[in-house]
Amino acid sequence: MSDAPQLETFEQLVGRGAAPRVVGSGFEFIEGPVWHPKDRFLLFSDIPANTRYRFDGKAAHVQANPSRKGNGMTYDADLNLLVCEHATSSVARFAGGANGAREVLASHFEGKELNSPNDIVVGKDGSIYFTDPTYGRMPVYGVERPVQLGFQGVYRVTADRKLELMVEKSMFAQPNGLCFSPDESRLYVNDTEQANIRVFDVRNGGLTNMRIFASGISDPNLAGVPDGMKCDAHGNIWVTAPGGLWIYAPDGALIGKVAVPEAVANLHWGGRDWRTLFITASTSLYAMDVKVGPHQEPFMTG
């Protein structure tokens, strides 16, 4: 692909001259942003501070402390909040939203504690997919303690509450961000340590036909690694990476890069028209107006 069409496509997605602006700062390391479609606020996690924040468009306020070192978050179709908790090695659901009653959906596999659920998505059938690297068992980002499982997997909680391992135990080093394609026929999962993105076909909830979608997502001269990842309405993949965000077309071609001053951990669309991209980047929350919105996840029509 020549430089000219790449730039044109990038401008169609991001807009000419668009740049992230700081809308909150002074945090330790923030992650897991998610936008509430009805009440129009952003939740995000400060993992080392053990705090969950609510950003109302003007300022960030403490929503929960302690937060059990929550990381990735999303909502299900009923707007129950789902949180990957590092401190408890659990996926928890909060009924009706962040202030609701807490229920653990997943905490053990084959009789052993999960490592530390990290990022999470919900399918149209209500099943929940999440990654389980070991970062939440490290100092600062979790509670330091030995791992029990001995592998890092990708899981599904079915509609009837069964926990299923979706990949071979040896496939991932540190699985992290994940997202569906707009029609949910594909699931993308990145690996922070391997610096790549895998894509699977989704068949009856299962994952098949694994292949490498993108590799070499690294640069020793720039801060940032594959971590959070989202898919836009056109099927393009936005992933955190060295220097900010890298955007890939559905065929795996690199469209362009969004420069962010700090190392980026995650991203999420929000705003009244879903055209504001919120970026959690180390000590600061950024926002950027873009030309494309997210693919419609089940909770976004709530």
Side-chain angles (χ1 to χ4, degrees):
M1 183 179 292
S2 68
D3 289 341
Q6 286 184 35
L7 181 60
E8 181 181 9
T9 303
F10 181 78
E11 289 185 350
Q12 290 174 348
L13 297 176
V14 177
R16 184 183 297 273
R21 60 187 183 277
V22 175
V23 294
S25 61
F27 308 105
E28 295 184 46
F29 181 84
I30 55 175
E31 251 279 17
V34 62
W35 180 259
H36 196 287
K38 287 185 176 179
D39 297 334
R40 296 193 176 99
F41 62 82
L42 185 82
L43 289 180
F44 62 95
S45 306
D46 190 334
I47 302 174
N50 200 17
T51 302
R52 184 160 58 242
Y53 285 93
R54 171 175 168 153
F55 177 72
D56 62 8
K58 295 182 180 179
H61 306 278
V62 173
Q63 188 278 319
N65 179 279
S67 65
R68 302 177 183 86
K69 291 187 179 282
N71 187 348
M73 295 187 286
T74 192
Y75 294 102
D76 63 20
D78 297 320
L79 294 182
N80 301 305
L81 180 67
L82 306 177
V83 182
C84 294
E85 297 180 347
H86 279 188
T88 66
S89 296
S90 301
V91 173
R93 178 170 60 195
F94 293 81
N99 296 315
R102 177 179 175 271
E103 177 188 11
V104 174
L105 300 182
S107 61
H108 290 72
F109 181 73
E110 296 182 341
K112 299 178 181 179
E113 284 185 348
L114 295 171
N115 298 316
S116 58
N118 189 287
D119 213 343
I120 187 166
V121 293
V122 179
K124 294 176 183 177
D125 65 354
S127 57
I128 300 164
Y129 295 75
F130 66 91
T131 54
D132 189 42
T134 61
Y135 296 123
R137 291 178 179 260
M138 298 177 179
V140 181
Y141 302 106
V143 177
E144 189 173 11
R145 60 208 191 278
V147 297
Q148 294 186 11
L149 282 175
F151 67 93
Q152 292 69 249
V154 178
Y155 296 87
R156 177 175 69 143
V157 180
T158 64
D160 57 0
R161 299 287 298 277
K162 293 179 180 178
L163 181 63
E164 300 177 343
L165 178 66
M166 307 305 294
V167 298
E168 295 178 5
K169 292 181 178 179
S170 61
M171 182 174 293
F172 287 92
Q174 292 285 20
N176 203 322
L178 75 171
C179 61
F180 283 109
S181 62
D183 63 1
E184 294 192 7
S185 66
R186 291 181 287 180
L187 182 73
Y188 299 86
V189 186
N190 69 45
D191 191 308
T192 299
E193 188 172 305
Q194 296 175 359
N196 63 23
I197 301 171
R198 289 179 170 85
V199 61
F200 302 82
D201 293 333
V202 182
R203 300 281 171 80
N204 299 318
L207 304 182
T208 64
N209 190 27
M210 186 279 294
R211 60 268 191 205
I212 298 296
F213 174 75
S215 60
I217 309 173
S218 62
D219 186 332
N221 298 313
L222 294 172
V225 293
D227 192 339
M229 184 167 63
K230 298 291 188 292
C231 180
D232 69 23
H234 300 163
N236 304 302
I237 301 301
W238 301 53
V239 63
T240 70
L245 301 172
W246 294 11
I247 308 172
Y248 289 91
D251 65 359
L254 181 62
I255 295 173
K257 302 177 181 181
V258 176
V260 182
E262 300 179 72
V264 178
N266 217 323
L267 65 149
H268 200 277
W269 278 272
R272 290 185 175 274
D273 59 357
W274 296 97
R275 294 296 185 276
T276 301
L277 187 68
F278 291 99
I279 302 167
T280 51
S282 301
T283 67
S284 302
L285 176 66
Y286 293 81
M288 183 173 69
D289 299 325
V290 293
K291 299 295 186 181
V292 65
H295 87 273
Q296 290 294 302
E297 299 182 51
F299 79 89
M300 292 180 177
T301 57

